[in-house]
Amino acid sequence: MIRVFCFNDVESLTVNVSKYLLPLVIPVVLSGCLSTPKSAAPKYEPTAEQRSAVMKARNAFIERIAGVKKQQQVKQAEPTVTIETISPAELSASYEKLIANGRTANFSIENKELFIDGQSYLDMEGTLVIAGFDNKSGKFSYIIEVGNEEYVAKTMRVGSTEEPLTFAKITKSGDRMVMKTVTGETITGERVIPTSTGFIMPRSNGLIEIPINDKARPIGLPKGYVAAAMQRGDIGTTNIILLEKLKEADNEGGLFDFSEITSSIGLTEDDDYLFFDLETGKSTVLNVSREGKNEQHMYNCKRQNDYVNKCSGMVKYESLYTKLGTKNTQHYFWSIDWLSTDEGPIGVINTGTTVEVIDLTNDKQFVVFERLMGVNEFNLLPTQDGRLGMSVKLGFSTEEIDDLLAHLKSLPAEKVKSTTKL
């Protein structure tokens, strides 16, 4: 409650008003007080103390509001994390010390979490967003979110006695990602992909390779292809990256896609994905369809009976997981893997009906498993003694191979479709 003394009335006016509306109410009341009086009442003038009290209250309110806004702006602009700038020589020495000791490990991604030998990996400074790794060496790099659209890139080796090495700070600027390394380099791209030995920043017409222990370099890609958003295999030790073919937006209104149907039953071969060698420029075509990466959501549905709903529309969206929370095993992330072995890099693909291994050094391809009713998924299983095993889920059964490389020697090989220029 405030009491206002009008200039032209000896009587006071009592007003109930919120303190936050005080600066708005006072001018209105005063303007009414200053209007020409209809009566011949004697003119009243407020004292200097009363004028001073009103102005003091108004200014205090304005300053308080301005102070709150300033604190909010400072809080939003204040960086969540800072990184110390070091020289390239210091970074190299720290990295060599980090990877001097370590061991092999079994990495896996489950429900958007990184697991190492069956245990989830946590970073004390933030939430892990994405990781790239090499089972054989135990090296891995990853990105954590620290808040305010800021991220930190780190690298580590399983079994190392050192703490994870901070490599860069990443911020989002519009639709671009900006990476500032500890050595002072600034690199931009559409997103950031970790590898076991560094990071990749894709662009619309190529990519930037950013090794931990070397200078960043730009690399051009075959026309019509871009770096796939999800990379299950290791780019760092193989120099192989997965590319995805550019296509027009999926048809969201139709219920059927003929190319999807024919590819799923093996009537056509796909070229939606390539293995691309960053050193030689060689491309290897993979018989995997991009259609499997999409989940479907029906809408405007009406119940017809106990078993059938009639829906007027459908929307497709990319997802690693189904609506039930299980793996979308037809997504290319689960269907394509690659890694380095003692005999060179190999790739493994699930075409839907077969599991095939590709010798990327000699351009040979082997059919390891085949099931006309469909292959669910596969996993590569490195062992501590250096062997590479494989497990494949076929319907309700699971088949395993203890030594994949030795097993390939007993299988017939086919020539793969590859080229140095696409």
Side-chain angles (χ1 to χ4, degrees), residues 196-360:
S196 64
T197 58
F199 298 87
I200 297 286
M201 295 193 76
R203 293 182 178 178
S204 59
N205 57 347
L207 56 85
I208 307 296
E209 184 182 24
I210 313 166
I212 298 292
N213 210 15
D214 204 348
K215 292 183 178 181
R217 60 166 181 159
I219 298 175
L221 299 178
K223 184 178 180 180
Y225 285 84
V226 295
M230 301 289 182
Q231 303 278 333
R232 185 181 182 185
D234 179 47
I235 305 170
T237 59
T238 62
N239 287 317
I240 303 293
I241 190 170
L242 181 66
L243 303 185
E244 183 175 17
K245 191 175 186 179
L246 287 171
K247 280 194 174 182
E248 295 181 359
D250 292 325
N251 178 15
E252 297 184 352
L255 294 180
F256 298 102
D257 186 331
F258 184 74
S259 64
E260 180 178 352
I261 298 172
T262 55
S263 63
S264 66
I265 59 177
L267 296 181
T268 63
E269 287 192 359
D270 294 288
D271 61 351
D272 292 330
Y273 297 97
L274 303 177
F275 281 144
F276 180 74
D277 193 313
L278 298 175
E279 293 292 336
T280 66
K282 184 177 73 172
S283 301
T284 302
V285 179
L286 308 179
N287 185 23
V288 176
S289 172
R290 74 193 299 269
E291 299 299 339
K293 71 179 183 177
N294 293 323
E295 281 288 290
Q296 300 175 353
H297 173 69
M298 313 295 292
Y299 60 90
N300 292 337
C301 299
K302 295 182 179 180
R303 182 183 177 188
Q304 301 298 300
N305 52 51
D306 291 341
Y307 305 99
V308 177
N309 286 335
K310 185 177 181 181
C311 304
S312 63
M314 178 186 70
V315 61
K316 293 182 179 181
Y317 59 94
E318 182 175 352
S319 178
L320 289 177
Y321 297 90
T322 67
K323 289 178 286 187
L324 300 177
T326 58
K327 289 181 181 178
N328 174 20
T329 55
Q330 295 185 44
H331 192 287
Y332 69 83
F333 179 80
W334 307 115
S335 299
I336 305 173
D337 200 356
W338 65 103
L339 76 169
S340 179
T341 71
D342 293 336
E343 300 180 17
I346 64 169
V348 184
I349 63 173
N350 177 5
T351 67
T353 57
T354 62
V355 174
E356 302 174 6
V357 176
I358 303 174
D359 179 349
L360 294 168

Side-chain angles (χ1 to χ4, degrees), residues 145-181:
E145 183 177 7
V146 293
N148 291 337
E149 294 190 333
E150 291 185 329
Y151 307 85
V152 172
K154 297 186 178 184
T155 190
M156 184 56 178
R157 185 180 184 189
V158 177
S160 174
T161 57
E162 300 295 314
E163 293 294 320
L165 178 63
T166 297
F167 176 69
K169 176 182 175 180
I170 305 169
T171 55
K172 188 175 182 181
S173 178
D175 59 351
R176 309 287 288 176
M177 304 299 289
V178 180
M179 171 184 281
K180 185 174 182 180
T181 70

Side-chain angles (χ1 to χ4, degrees), residues 42-117:
K43 185 176 180 180
Y44 174 77
E45 291 289 342
T47 65
E49 290 79 6
Q50 290 171 342
R51 288 177 179 270
S52 177
V54 171
M55 294 304 297
K56 186 177 180 180
R58 177 179 178 276
N59 293 337
F61 177 79
I62 294 175
E63 290 176 1
R64 185 165 62 251
I65 296 299
V68 171
K69 291 183 177 180
K70 185 176 181 181
Q71 289 178 358
Q72 291 176 344
Q73 293 172 353
V74 170
K75 185 176 180 180
Q76 292 175 355
E78 182 179 341
T80 305
V81 66
T82 57
I83 59 174
E84 181 183 357
T85 302
I86 60 177
S87 68
E90 290 174 314
L91 173 62
S92 179
S94 298
Y95 182 64
E96 292 299 331
K97 187 177 180 180
L98 173 73
I99 64 175
N101 299 301
R103 60 176 176 82
T104 61
N106 187 8
F107 293 89
S108 63
I109 301 290
E110 299 177 22
N111 296 322
K112 302 179 182 180
E113 292 187 51
L114 174 66
F115 286 81
I116 303 177
D117 295 332

